[in-house]
Amino acid sequence: MGDAVSVSPSPLVKFPFSHPDSFQKILILLDTATILNCRVVCTDWRDWFTASKTVWSSISSRMVARVLRRKIRTELEQVWDIRLDFLLEMVDECWTEEQEMTMAIRIERVTRQPIWCEFDDTLKVISQLHQAFYRGLMASPCVGPVCIFLRSKVAHPSVLKVMGETLARHVNCVIIDERDKEAGVVRQCLLRAMISCQQAPRWVFKDMDLGWLGEEEVEDVQQYQPEPEDCNDNQISDEPEELTPSKFSFSYILSSIFKLVSGLFSPLKLWRMLTTSQSDVMPVTTLEGDEEEDEEEKSSLYSTAPPPAHDLFPTVLELLDCDSPWLKNMLIKKAGIDKILVVPKFEEVTKHIKDVGAQFTIAG
């Protein structure tokens, strides 16, 4: 028997370490899914990704350059500009490699997603407020409507209907800086929307200085507009009661006008929730190994997603693709999307009623 033939490792195994600049230039030319798959080529490549602290910042800059070159039809330019400005603002907030990776994947996904125009009256209000900001009448530009920054991960019609009904009260939100709450132009737009026969947007105020990547500032969210009396069965009703404003305050007067108008008009507008195909959802790959490697993977920026909230049915949160962690946290607080189970075939839940905890609400 002859001696076993030893196979020398390929020079490409050490390529990321021997030629880091060339390797990183190649990565910049790839899409994010292919870049993530490069980690599973071999352990040396995986170790290079783990040790690298600048690869995703370079890729994120390249993705921004690509998204700026996207061609948009004239009638959709306003919606695209609103979403693009929102994403670019979050890019400026990134300071960790994990945030850079998340934004690179997000921006690339946005370039492949369709754009649609919804809530035309709200977009007119947004345009007026943006003009006021450029004239120096507001401290920060407003953001909205929220539906621009939301997509469904599933294209099933029943799932889209359930998610649309669950989020219907929140997709027409306009987010304004707390410092502009008493601005004259904001009051005028708010009063004009209240007395209009069209569906009035919901006004949410936040501290814009805290950015969109954080989640802790959601507790400070306030709204002028009160909750409608006819509550939907698919929505959480155990929200904390807000303090009653003074009868001589501006917010109390506007709330009274809204109650009067809502009794006269009850327009219903369905939100067309567009979807992200499964190929758009970038897989995060991990390698099998011993327990120490698994623990290292869990603590790295390439760790897998957390386990589902329920073993049988997904929540609205798990099916929702949201551009900002702050917006996602706002919907968790206001709509309870992390506790609403989506059941397209409602009769199926009767077979598993014992497996549904009391903390969940079933929507189907």
Side-chain angles (χ1 to χ4, degrees), residues 169 190 194 200-203 223-228 242 255 258:
R169 295 164 54 194
L190 181 59
M194 287 290 189
R202 295 170 61 87
W203 304 86
Q223 295 175 340
Y224 274 132
Q225 184 170 314
E227 299 293 336
E242 299 182 357
S255 300
F258 173 77

Side-chain angles (χ1 to χ4, degrees), residues 71-88:
K71 302 297 183 181
I72 303 297
R73 299 200 310 268
T74 304
E75 62 270 18
L76 298 176
E77 285 183 353
Q78 182 185 4
V79 176
W80 173 245
D81 290 342
I82 291 174
R83 194 178 191 192
L84 182 59
D85 291 343
F86 186 74
L87 293 172
L88 295 179

Side-chain angles (χ1 to χ4, degrees), residues 61-270:
S61 301
R62 181 66 178 233
M63 293 301 172
V64 170
R66 291 180 185 176
V67 77
L68 291 175
R69 295 194 297 266
R70 182 177 182 180
K71 302 297 183 181
I72 303 297
R73 299 200 310 268
T74 304
E75 62 270 18
L76 298 176
E77 285 183 353
Q78 182 185 4
V79 176
W80 173 245
D81 290 342
I82 291 174
R83 194 178 191 192
L84 182 59
D85 291 343
F86 186 74
L87 293 172
L88 295 179
E89 187 174 346
M90 287 195 294
V91 170
D92 294 337
E93 297 175 17
C94 295
W95 60 278
T96 66
E97 189 73 355
E98 181 177 3
Q99 291 174 339
E100 296 282 3
M101 181 187 71
T102 302
M103 286 307 304
I105 296 174
R106 167 68 53 194
I107 291 174
E108 184 189 51
R109 189 179 302 169
V110 166
T111 60
R112 297 197 299 265
Q113 290 176 340
I115 305 173
W116 85 102
C117 188
E118 190 87 57
F119 300 112
D120 293 337
D121 295 297
T122 302
L123 290 174
K124 293 178 181 178
V125 174
I126 294 291
S127 179
Q128 295 173 4
L129 294 178
H130 281 177
Q131 294 175 9
F133 167 72
Y134 295 138
R135 296 197 303 268
L137 302 179
M138 296 177 61
S140 299
C142 61
V143 176
V146 170
C147 63
I148 294 177
F149 316 109
L150 304 178
R151 295 293 186 277
S152 172
K153 298 177 182 178
V154 180
H156 193 283
S158 299
V159 174
L160 296 179
K161 180 179 179 181
V162 172
M163 295 183 67
E165 292 174 351
T166 303
L167 300 173
R169 295 164 54 194
H170 306 277
V171 294
N172 196 22
C173 286
V174 175
I175 304 173
I176 300 177
D177 195 334
E178 290 181 345
R179 294 171 294 181
D180 296 321
K181 187 181 297 185
E182 302 300 327
V185 62
V186 174
R187 290 188 174 189
Q188 291 175 7
C189 289
L190 181 59
L191 180 60
R192 195 177 297 116
M194 287 290 189
I195 62 178
S196 173
C197 62
Q198 303 295 330
Q199 183 180 7
R202 295 170 61 87
W203 304 86
V204 179
F205 298 90
K206 75 178 293 291
D207 187 351
M208 295 295 189
D209 291 337
L210 297 180
W212 299 98
L213 296 179
E215 300 180 355
E216 68 280 356
E217 69 270 21
V218 177
E219 294 298 328
D220 296 331
V221 173
Q222 299 179 8
Q223 295 175 340
Y224 274 132
Q225 184 170 314
E227 299 293 336
E229 296 181 358
D230 49 344
C231 183
N232 192 297
D233 294 337
N234 292 333
Q235 296 170 343
I236 304 300
S237 59
D238 54 351
E239 296 181 0
E241 296 183 1
E242 299 182 357
L243 296 177
T244 304
S246 170
K247 292 185 178 181
F248 299 99
S249 66
F250 178 71
S251 60
Y252 181 84
I253 297 174
L254 292 177
S255 300
S256 302
I257 296 175
F258 173 77
K259 291 181 179 179
L260 176 62
V261 175
S262 61
L264 299 176
F265 303 98
S266 57
L268 177 62
K269 187 166 186 174
L270 296 178

Side-chain angles (χ1 to χ4, degrees), residues 30-40 56 59 63 104-105 108 112 279-285:
L30 305 176
D31 60 272
T32 55
T34 304
I35 295 172
L36 291 172
N37 289 332
C38 287
R39 295 185 64 250
V40 301
W56 284 106
I59 295 172
M63 293 301 172
I105 296 174
E108 184 189 51
R112 297 197 299 265
S279 60
D280 290 343
V281 181
M282 301 302 167
V284 180
T285 354

